[in-house]
Amino acid sequence: MSSRVLTVWNPEDKEFWEREGKSIAARNLWISIPALFLAFAVWMVWSVVVVNLPAIGFPFDANRLFWLAALPGLAGATLRIFYSFMVPIFGGRLWTTLSTASLLIPAIGMGFAVRNPETSYSTFLILALLCGFGGGNFASSMSNISFFFPQARKGTALGLNAGLGNLGVSAMQFLVPLAITAGVFGAYGGDPQISVVKGVAKPMWLQNAGFVWVPFIAASTLAAWFGMNDVASARASFREQAIIFRRKNNWLMCWLYLGTFGSFIGYSAGMPLLIKSQFPGVNPTQYAFLGPLVGAIMRPVGGWIADKLGGARVTFWNFIVMAASVVGILAFLPRGGTDGNFWGFLAMFILMFVTTGIGNGSTFRMIPVIFLTERVRDAEGKGAAAQEQALKDAAKEAAAVIGFSSAFAAYGAFFIPKAFGSSIRLTGSPESALYGFLAFYVTCIVVTWWCYSRRDATIPC
């Protein structure tokens, strides 16, 4: 059997963990992180590209631009449903390699599409959907990494993988506006477009928004193939994993993770166009990266705090702050002929992103604890063999729920930008969308308290 397949893997055994498990897990984690970083960068790249399309002559109105920003979220969320179950079927090494390599398709395709002023809107829609490959990768990446670490370290490990991976959004929103100002690839990258903003013309290489990621994607693909491992005990068919659809806690955690990650990725996708529509005198590319940056940085912090204080307690208070952040955003929006307060608006959104990061880490800390508690309770009094099987079943179910809940939550990348776009189109303001988000966060507060964080909760975690 290939040396890349770990036939013996027991991270809960402290002697095994210190002797060899820790180094193997760390290697897989640090190869996974850049692959996930690139996936997020490609997934969300349209949030920056759409802001620049009108300036180089593409005649798309605001509604069409919001669709281009939202469709990668729809595609990525849908792909995550399938990607959630791929690692136990194909193995983490092979699936990480294939899913990372798939990012080359939208990255290269986008680069060629924006170079041609005759490119149709339907072509852009297809490319936006293909960027969903990047969104799908998160589900399989998190599922894979969950197998490598012991229970006490899962929160931190998953927080690092997701948090540093999430940095791909912020890095993309910071680097792409710089990369498109120069002919990075010389003659190989093609001629610049002429961007006209407020009557001022200047060259722009918008194709670099796609091309700049290509060499890094290729390197990460090779690293995954030659450096990662498969865990033999993690193998499971779809039928075996599908038991999670009968678990009530799977659906409850999908709802809560929609509140945290769905908010993170949805606001990341919609914020540049939201700033442009509400504060037209502000350049959104100068500020949009700040929110995803702090959200990504805070995710490992959320996992670490949850390891120390308990995931449910952290998640409960976190949702309260998220609801308060929405109230703050509403207070600083333009209304009634006033210009609003951009700096207050930005500060409240950054607070919102802080809470999405903390909540992302704390909710994913809850999942392994919930399913371990359930399976161990089911095996009580049935002997040592049943207890051992319960540990294996809990790991597989938790990994599947981590993947599937991330798929469910990723629809936030579609619904939040579309909610903003629809609210603005129908009422002239994003306020209706924000009131809807506020009501949703209140439901998350109630679910977290009743099911997990109150003193008499069925599964305190």
Side-chain angles (χ1 to χ4, degrees), residues 260 264 294-296 298-300 302-303 352-362:
T260 59
F264 170 82
V294 297
M298 294 307 295
R299 180 160 190 157
M352 173 66 79
F353 274 105
V354 168
T355 59
T356 65
I358 292 174
N360 285 340
S362 64

Side-chain angles (χ1 to χ4, degrees), residues 28-389:
N28 281 269
L29 174 62
W30 291 108
I31 293 175
S32 175
I33 286 171
L36 190 54
F37 177 99
L38 292 165
F40 271 99
V42 171
W43 189 25
M44 288 289 105
V45 71
W46 281 100
S47 67
V48 172
V49 172
V50 293
V51 174
N52 292 285
L53 287 177
I56 60 173
F58 288 97
F60 305 146
D61 61 20
N63 189 52
R64 285 189 164 194
L65 294 175
F66 269 112
W67 267 108
L68 289 176
L71 278 180
L74 179 64
T78 304
L79 286 174
R80 283 188 182 195
I81 296 173
F82 302 98
Y83 281 40
S84 301
F85 305 101
M86 293 298 105
V87 168
I89 295 173
F90 291 97
R93 172 175 170 251
L94 174 60
W95 190 253
T96 302
T97 301
L98 293 176
S99 61
T100 303
S102 72
L103 303 176
L104 292 168
I105 299 172
I108 294 173
M110 177 193 301
F112 281 106
V114 298
R115 285 169 52 179
N116 183 0
E118 302 300 319
T119 301
S120 66
Y121 182 68
S122 60
T123 300
F124 281 119
L125 289 175
I126 292 170
L127 288 168
L129 287 168
L130 288 173
C131 282
F133 285 145
N137 287 11
F138 180 83
S140 53
S141 177
M142 295 297 281
S143 173
N144 184 44
I145 292 303
S146 72
F147 287 111
F148 283 95
F149 288 84
Q151 192 72 26
R153 297 173 183 262
K154 283 187 190 292
T156 302
L158 291 173
L160 284 170
N161 189 52
L164 298 180
N166 289 169
L167 276 175
V169 179
S170 180
M172 177 279 299
Q173 290 182 336
F174 178 77
L175 293 174
V176 166
L178 298 178
I180 63 178
T181 62
V184 176
F185 299 99
Y188 296 102
D191 297 329
Q193 304 86 37
I194 301 301
S195 169
V196 181
V197 179
K198 297 180 179 179
V200 178
K202 59 182 179 180
M204 175 184 291
W205 289 260
L206 193 56
Q207 61 265 36
N208 290 350
F211 290 158
V212 73
W213 307 109
V214 170
F216 300 104
I217 293 169
S220 188
T221 299
L222 293 173
W225 180 249
F226 290 106
M228 296 188 80
N229 298 95
D230 293 324
V231 179
S233 61
R235 293 286 181 149
S237 66
F238 174 78
R239 183 189 295 271
E240 292 174 288
Q241 298 176 78
I243 194 172
I244 67 169
F245 298 123
R246 301 201 299 269
R247 306 295 193 202
K248 177 185 72 174
N249 288 294
N250 169 51
W251 299 106
L252 292 175
M253 292 310 301
C254 282
W255 190 256
L256 298 184
Y257 196 56
L258 176 63
T260 59
F261 180 78
S263 297
F264 170 82
I265 204 65
Y267 294 137
S268 296
M271 194 173 174
L273 280 175
L274 183 64
I275 292 174
K276 187 174 183 179
S277 68
Q278 299 303 296
F279 300 95
V282 175
N283 180 358
T285 61
Q286 291 182 331
Y287 304 101
F289 75 93
L290 292 172
L293 174 63
V294 297
I297 290 172
M298 294 307 295
R299 180 160 190 157
V301 176
W304 179 80
I305 295 174
D307 280 340
K308 302 297 182 183
L309 301 180
R313 181 187 302 176
V314 175
T315 301
F316 172 73
W317 288 104
N318 193 73
F319 275 126
I320 291 175
V321 180
M322 290 182 79
S325 299
V326 175
V327 175
I329 292 168
L330 284 163
F332 292 113
L333 280 175
R335 64 164 57 85
T338 66
D339 294 334
N341 186 317
F342 173 72
W343 297 110
F345 168 90
L346 182 63
M348 289 297 100
F349 250 118
I350 289 177
L351 176 60
M352 173 66 79
F353 274 105
V354 168
T355 59
T356 65
I358 292 174
N360 285 340
S362 64
T363 50
F364 264 22
R365 175 67 178 94
M366 292 168 65
I367 292 172
V369 175
I370 290 168
F371 284 87
L372 179 62
T373 302
E374 278 196 320
R375 300 291 74 74
V376 169
R377 283 179 182 175
D378 292 344
E380 284 180 358
K382 297 179 181 179
Q387 288 286 336
E388 183 178 347
Q389 185 62 43

